[in-house]
């Protein structure tokens, strides 16, 4: 870079010294790969050549940090897991759920208003407590599975699986070629710690829980075949859609719906998931079928509530209490002790 000089003399003006060229670092001093070089050969470890510019301390590498047992390993150890569905896509409620001690949370893209970006924020809220997250897809398609898996959830749930063929497709969406058809960007996505976890490709399937929802009469008829598809880890029952399929949308507790549900449950429980020959059983509690009842019937994963439902119930009860208190005050306006008791509670 040539030095800049003052080429115009002005009478009485102070003399200006030449401006020296600013120091700069030549690109030749770096050994970054050329654009023609395969991105797969460029590993983050190469950045350690420049520790002052790109510090990558091994203690900060998430792949070297100990992690709690996965949902899949806990299920194989015989645990019964309890979780909650999150439909609000509120990071605050996700954070509260994680601190509350749930074994897992389901981020529901099927019925909640959020998408991939909002799911990412939910996952980040769950990170500090290592609460496992399962993402329920809006539909069982490869494009949705690819985007969800790249976020790095511990589980993925496919809705409306009605045959072994559907289940095999779902599994293929979760696996890279040649074992499946999942698209790959493993060098930069969150699932691999943005490429920092160099072991991702060798162990990405070990802890991933693949869940298939059976929620129609046709699905129940094929539930045993679905449960034994290689790669399917859990069959999740969908009681509301199942009641609609049976013909009792407004009455999921109808005896005919219960009969179909029990048939599906028994079909899944016939399998042997601990030895790789079947799937675990997951389900969602209902007012007529509380969580403890599902546990007694052999469910391995029980979802007991929805964040929106919990808040709705609490809000309705809060308003109800206040309205009752106003009525009580109007019936006994001179009862000062009663008034004081209400506000002190």
């Amino acid at each position: 870079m040539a030095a800049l000089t003052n080429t115009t003399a002005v009478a009485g003006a102070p003399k200006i010294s030449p401006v020296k060229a600013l120091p700069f670092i030549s690109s030749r001093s770096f050994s970054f790969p050329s654009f023609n070089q395969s991105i797969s050969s460029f590993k983050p470890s190469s950045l350690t050549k420049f520790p002052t510019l790109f510090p990558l301390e091994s203690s900060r590498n998430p792949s070297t940090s100990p992690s709690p047992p996965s949902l899949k390993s806990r299920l194989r150890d015989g645990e019964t897991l309890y979780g909650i569905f999150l439909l609000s896509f509120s990071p605050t409620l996700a954070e509260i759920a994680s601190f509350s001690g749930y074994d897992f949370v389901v981020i529901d893209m099927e019925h909640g208003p959020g998408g991939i970006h909002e799911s990412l924020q939910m996952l980040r809220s769950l990170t500090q407590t290592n609460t496992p997250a399962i993402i329920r897809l809006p539909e069982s398609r490869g494009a949705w599975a690819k985007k969800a898996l790249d976020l790095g959830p511990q589980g993925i749930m496919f809705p409306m699986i009605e045959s072994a063929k559907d289940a095999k497709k779902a599994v293929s969406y979760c696996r890279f070629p040649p074992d499946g058809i999942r698209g790959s960007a493993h060098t930069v996505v969150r699932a691999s710690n943005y490429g920092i976890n160099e072991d991702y490709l060798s162990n990405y399937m070990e802890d991933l829980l693949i869940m298939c929802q059976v929620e129609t009469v046709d699905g129940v008829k094929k539930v045993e075949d679905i449960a034994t598809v290689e790669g399917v880890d859990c069959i999740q029952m969908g009681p509301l859609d199942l009641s609609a399929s049976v013909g009792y949308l407004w009455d999921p507790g109808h005896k005919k719906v219960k009969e179909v549900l029990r048939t599906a449950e028994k079909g899944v429980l016939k399998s042997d998931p601990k030895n790789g020959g079947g799937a675990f059983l997951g389900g969602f509690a209902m007012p007529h079928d509380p969580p403890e009842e599902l546990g007694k019937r052999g469910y391995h994963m029980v979802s007991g509530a929805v964040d929106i439902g919990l808040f709705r119930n609490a809000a309705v009860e809060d308003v109800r209490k206040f309205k009752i208190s106003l009525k009580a005050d109007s019936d006994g306006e001179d009862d000062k002790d009663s008034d004081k008791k209400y506000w002190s509670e």
Side-chain angles (χ1 to χ4, degrees), residues 137 139-149 158 169-170 172-174 181-183:
L137 304 181
E139 56 182 333
S140 296
R141 294 183 61 183
W144 279 114
K146 174 172 58 178
K147 293 180 77 65
L149 289 169
F158 293 90
K169 282 184 178 181
S172 74
Y173 299 153
C174 301
I181 59 173
R182 177 183 172 187

Side-chain angles (χ1 to χ4, degrees), residues 255-299:
K255 65 177 183 179
K256 290 187 178 180
V257 180
K258 289 182 179 180
E259 290 173 0
V260 176
L261 182 61
R262 298 299 184 274
T263 299
E265 293 169 354
K266 292 175 182 178
V268 177
L269 292 173
K270 283 181 181 178
S271 65
D272 186 16
K274 291 184 179 180
N275 296 311
F280 295 98
L281 178 62
F284 191 82
M286 301 289 289
H288 66 276
D289 199 11
E292 54 270 21
E293 290 300 320
L294 270 63
K296 291 177 183 178
R297 296 206 303 273
Y299 278 76

